Amino acid sequence: MAFQFPRGAELLFVTQYLQQFDDTVKFKLRREGQRTMLEVSTVNIPPFSYTTVAFADESERPQKIAAAEPQTTSWAVNAAFFTNVLTCFNGLSPIVLEVADDLTCVLLYQKKEDNTGVHVAQVGALHDLGPRLLVDHDVRVLYTIADIQNFSGIVRSVCAWGDERCDVFLRRVSSTKCQLVMRTSTVTSSLQLSLGEDNGVFKHLEGSARCTDLQEYSRLCTRMAKLADKTSLMLGFGSDGISLFRFEWFTERGSRTANLFFCAS
């Protein structure tokens, strides 16, 4: 089974991001008709947060599927080694990720720029996929953060002073606006958000995340925004102790989603 990325940088940026959470990256490739999904996450479950990235290939081009080919395949790779291999490819050209039938290795393909051949790399696959974590949350209302650059700037400024954790909460300032506030023991910064008809802030919504996790997540958002045709960054709070940042970006081949789950107060 295989998955094609319109730009190699997409896969590179995701593995560089997940490498900050774990030394092993897990892939789950699923095919449903002409829709192909690739989910990427860590093998180990970090103590303070959990993050996943999902790629959806919604190409309408017909795909030939062998009768005996499985519809779902999972494997894992060493994050550092896989990332180093990806840096050998052109980040702006399409790249194909394919897993061998026996799950012993994964292959990376990319056409040479002069169309004289194909660059191929083979990376050994791991079979210890670790525990399976399904995040069952009740986050139903998401607040849109329209300015990704300002969000990343606030994260950098607040998390630059060595604090381990950062409080994240919403503060209503009018019937149509609220503030996203990020606060550590030394710095507090805020960003104004607009409220829609369905997402008014009627109670105190707060969570707490590790500064390093927020820094890596905001960096991923900034890097992907430069590759995407359209982006959307959102924040939501649940009543079951889980909050999340959700970043969505869209390319010519489909949609992508990066979730960062963290603790709600």
Side-chain angles (χ1 to χ4, degrees):
M1 296 178 70
F3 191 93
Q4 180 174 335
F5 298 85
R7 297 172 185 83
E10 266 198 312
L11 182 56
L12 173 63
F13 292 165
V14 166
T15 58
Q16 287 176 332
Y17 165 67
L18 292 174
Q19 185 182 348
Q20 308 306 313
F21 294 83
D22 194 2
D23 58 5
T24 308
V25 176
K26 176 169 55 179
F27 294 83
K28 181 180 179 181
L29 184 59
R30 184 174 74 253
R31 181 172 289 134
E32 300 174 356
Q34 293 186 0
R35 179 183 173 91
T36 304
M37 297 285 297
L38 179 66
E39 300 172 5
V40 193
S41 62
T42 59
V43 169
N44 294 315
I45 300 173
F48 300 107
S49 61
Y50 182 67
T51 187
T52 62
V53 181
F55 297 87
D57 188 339
E58 300 165 351
S59 173
E60 296 181 354
R61 290 177 295 180
Q63 299 178 5
K64 295 182 179 179
I65 304 175
E69 187 176 4
Q71 298 301 297
T72 301
T73 303
S74 299
W75 71 93
V77 295
N78 178 274
F81 182 71
F82 191 68
T83 299
N84 287 338
V85 171
L86 284 170
T87 60
C88 299
F89 291 85
N90 186 338
L92 299 180
S93 297
I95 192 170
V96 176
L97 171 68
E98 181 178 352
V99 61
D101 293 338
D102 59 3
L103 301 181
T104 58
C105 66
V106 292
L107 300 171
L108 295 165
Y109 301 95
Q110 187 177 69
K111 288 184 179 180
K112 293 182 178 180
E113 295 183 22
D114 57 5
N115 291 322
T116 59
V118 179
H119 289 295
V120 181
Q122 178 176 307
V123 179
L126 308 173
H127 298 280
D128 182 8
L129 302 183
R132 183 182 181 187
L133 178 63
L134 297 176
V135 182
D136 185 13
H137 61 83
D138 68 347
V139 178
R140 299 291 180 263
V141 179
L142 294 172
Y143 300 87
T144 300
I145 304 171
D147 195 328
I148 295 175
Q149 291 294 334
N150 272 352
F151 168 75
S152 297
I154 288 176
V155 171
R156 286 195 302 270
S157 64
V158 170
C159 296
W161 300 92
D163 289 79
E164 182 182 9
R165 303 190 67 79
C166 174
D167 294 328
V168 180
F169 60 94
L170 294 180
R171 180 168 58 200
R172 185 167 183 167
V173 294
S174 73
S175 60
T176 59
K177 297 183 183 300
C178 71
Q179 288 181 334
L180 165 62
V181 183
M182 307 188 78
R183 179 182 62 199
T184 63
S185 62
T186 53
V187 180
T188 299
S189 188
S190 63
L191 177 66
Q192 186 166 281
L193 309 181
S194 297
L195 297 175
E197 295 181 358
D198 300 327
N199 62 352
V201 178
F202 301 104
K203 61 180 180 179
H204 186 70
L205 300 175
E206 183 172 352
S208 179
R210 287 201 309 177
C211 285
T212 53
D213 296 346
L214 290 172
Q215 287 173 315
E216 294 301 329
Y217 188 78
S218 66
R219 182 169 180 257
L220 176 70
C221 295
T222 301
R223 300 177 83 181
M224 289 303 188
K226 297 177 181 178
L227 300 177
D229 299 328
K230 179 183 176 183
T231 62
S232 176
L233 176 60
M234 295 165 285
L235 169 66
F237 297 88
S239 60
D240 55 1
I242 296 178
S243 303
L244 72 88
F245 280 105
R246 173 169 294 166
F247 178 62
E248 297 178 345
W249 70 100
F250 302 85
T251 70
E252 59 268 30
R253 293 192 66 90
S255 61
R256 288 84 166 91
T257 304
N259 289 324
L260 177 65
F261 298 95
F262 58 99
C263 297
S265 301

